[in-house]
């Protein structure tokens, strides 16, 4: 999914009304202003709390790799250069999976 598709599906899961406007940096235009949990930690935190997502951080000694898992969705994102960005993306991916299942 593109970032726009991820944000639109995540917005649906969060009950965010948006107007179809999208900006790669600002995100989606919603009734409350621009919303982008991919780049804004506050928006990502709000999304995780609203959807009651569980975050689990896991490290593999064998592969020397760290991951963040979100909820029961099986969403896993590798943590590397930017742990915050990877965690935000994992939250949005899990929320988007929820949004895609909604009618």
């Amino acid at each position: 999914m593109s970032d726009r598709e991820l944000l639109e599906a995540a917005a649906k899961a969060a009950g965010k009304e948006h107007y179809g406007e999208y900006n790669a940096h600002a995100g989606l235009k919603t009734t409350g202003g621009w919303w982008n949990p991919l780049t804004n930690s506050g928006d990502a935190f709000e999304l995780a709390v609203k959807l009651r997502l569980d975050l689990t951080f896991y490290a593999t000694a064998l592969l020397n790799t760290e991951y963040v898992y979100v909820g029961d969705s099986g969403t896993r994102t590798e943590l590397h250069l930017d742990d915050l960005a990877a965690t935000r993306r994992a939250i949005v991916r899990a929320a988007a999976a929820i949004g895609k299942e909604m009618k």
Side-chain angles (χ1 to χ4, degrees), residues 2-23:
S2 70
D3 285 354
R4 181 181 186 153
E5 292 168 326
L6 283 172
L7 290 175
E8 287 175 345
K12 182 177 185 178
K16 293 274 186 188
E17 184 178 344
H18 66 91
Y19 301 105
E21 285 186 60
Y22 171 76
N23 176 291

Side-chain angles (χ1 to χ4, degrees), residues 42-86:
D43 289 345
F45 180 72
E46 175 189 358
L47 184 59
V49 171
K50 182 165 186 109
L51 297 177
R52 302 291 193 253
L53 300 176
D54 293 321
L55 301 175
T56 304
F57 295 88
Y58 177 74
T60 61
L62 180 64
L63 300 174
N64 195 27
T65 307
E66 292 181 302
Y67 297 96
V68 58
Y69 290 86
V70 181
D72 297 328
S73 68
T75 299
R76 178 185 86 173
T77 301
E78 184 176 335
L79 298 174
H80 42 46
L81 298 176
D82 187 342
D83 293 352
L84 290 174

